[in-house]
Amino acid sequence: MKKFLAVLLATMMTVALCACGSGKEQLVMATNAEFPPYEYHEGDAIVGIDVEIAQAIADELGMELVIEDMAFDSIIMAVSTGKADMGVAGLTISEDRLESVNFSTPYTTAAQVIIVKEGSDITGPDDLVGKTVGVQLGTTGDIYAGDIEGATVERYNKGYEAVQALLQGKVDAVMIDSQPANVFVEQNEGIYVIDEAFTYEEYAIAVAKDNTELLEKINDAIAKLEESGELQAIIDKYIAAE
Ligand code: GLN
């Protein structure tokens, strides 16, 4: 009877601590659902590789995944101030971001590519001198394009807005991560990805500097998902093998 009471009390306390439906502790993921195939809207839902990886991690930790969709350049701040527990948004590990947050072990690799209109004379990053390049605000593409001397950078809130600007002739090229580039090119006529990846990047999950306990748990979960093959299965579900 005593044990029963203890269990009951523990259960009640958990429920009181997190006013959530499942009675599980929440794991809040900050993301920007404008980045297919990693995170994007499908009807009312937010789906994609990152969402499934985050869900698998939450399951592993026995927590309830809650997705907070926000502007891309708000994610690191949301994590570092504790508004969200983790940032999962195709986030490239960078020196700059490491000043504000910690990163998990990487779960995949990526690269920046250039999208141009058919008939464009741009064949690589060197040709961007004197041109206007559309990027998503606050991304690594934004930083790399800004480093090209003589190129003008136009910043958009969503990667897709940069692609629309390209279609409308407002910019000469778009610099963006390779997988979203493939998706946007597939969805639109008359543009293509230049067959040259000129950065090597690793995507990882951002966690607040003082939350090393969660970081360790996430790293353990990633290791398990890697070992079981589930991580690769999630990626393969969204990205056709080349
Ligand atoms: N990988 C890029 C970055 O970290 C872009 C991510 C994104 O747009 N979601 O800046």
Side-chain angles (χ1 to χ4, degrees):
M1 193 59 193
K2 233 184 183 167
K3 194 172 164 208
F4 170 73
L5 274 176
V7 170
L8 184 70
L9 204 65
T11 312
M12 281 166 61
M13 276 168 69
T14 317
V15 172
L17 276 176
C18 72
C20 48
S22 65
K24 289 182 195 163
E25 199 185 332
Q26 295 190 339
L27 182 63
V28 180
M29 155 183 174
T31 197
N32 171 244
E34 305 292 342
F35 199 64
Y38 297 96
E39 43 269 327
Y40 56 100
H41 296 272
E42 201 172 77
D44 290 340
I46 293 173
V47 299
I49 294 172
D50 284 345
V51 177
E52 293 208 19
I53 291 174
Q55 184 62 59
I57 291 171
D59 290 346
E60 197 64 54
L61 306 187
M63 296 172 85
E64 182 194 5
L65 182 71
V66 176
I67 302 174
E68 293 273 358
D69 190 17
M70 60 185 73
F72 180 75
D73 68 335
S74 302
I75 296 172
I76 295 292
M77 179 76 99
V79 172
S80 64
T81 57
K83 259 184 70 186
D85 299 309
M86 57 179 189
V88 197
L91 283 173
T92 300
I93 301 175
S94 75
E95 289 300 319
D96 227 33
R97 291 173 184 162
L98 279 167
E99 284 181 15
S100 334
V101 292
N102 281 333
F103 277 103
S104 70
T105 44
Y107 57 87
T108 195
T109 59
Q112 294 300 305
V113 295
I114 299 169
I115 310 175
V116 291
K117 260 188 169 172
E118 264 154 33
S120 167
D121 55 359
I122 298 168
T123 59
D126 293 345
D127 297 331
L128 294 176
V129 178
K131 305 279 187 186
T132 305
V133 187
V135 299
Q136 185 184 10
L137 176 73
T139 59
T140 44
D142 182 355
I143 295 162
Y144 295 127
D147 282 346
I148 301 172
E149 240 172 274
T152 307
V153 181
E154 284 289 339
R155 300 179 171 87
Y156 298 88
N157 285 321
K158 303 174 182 180
Y160 188 63
E161 287 169 3
V163 172
Q164 279 173 320
L166 175 67
L167 290 164
Q168 293 160 4
K170 291 181 186 158
V171 299
D172 301 305
V174 169
M175 190 174 294
I176 194 165
D177 298 44
S178 50
Q179 293 306 333
N182 292 340
V183 174
F184 293 143
V185 162
E186 218 168 88
Q187 290 170 348
N188 294 279
E189 298 274 308
I191 53 174
Y192 68 97
V193 178
I194 293 174
D195 194 18
E196 180 187 359
F198 56 93
T199 62
Y200 171 83
E201 301 181 22
E202 291 178 323
Y203 288 174
I205 296 174
V207 179
K209 288 238 188 223
D210 58 8
N211 203 351
T212 48
E213 195 188 323
L214 179 63
L215 185 69
E216 273 171 34
K217 284 185 187 169
I218 289 175
N219 281 341
D220 286 348
I222 291 175
K224 274 192 194 157
L225 294 171
E226 235 161 27
E227 247 171 60
S228 68
E230 191 174 341
L231 184 66
Q232 195 55 49
I234 292 171
I235 294 170
D236 291 347
K237 191 173 145 187
Y238 290 87
I239 302 174
E242 273 147 30

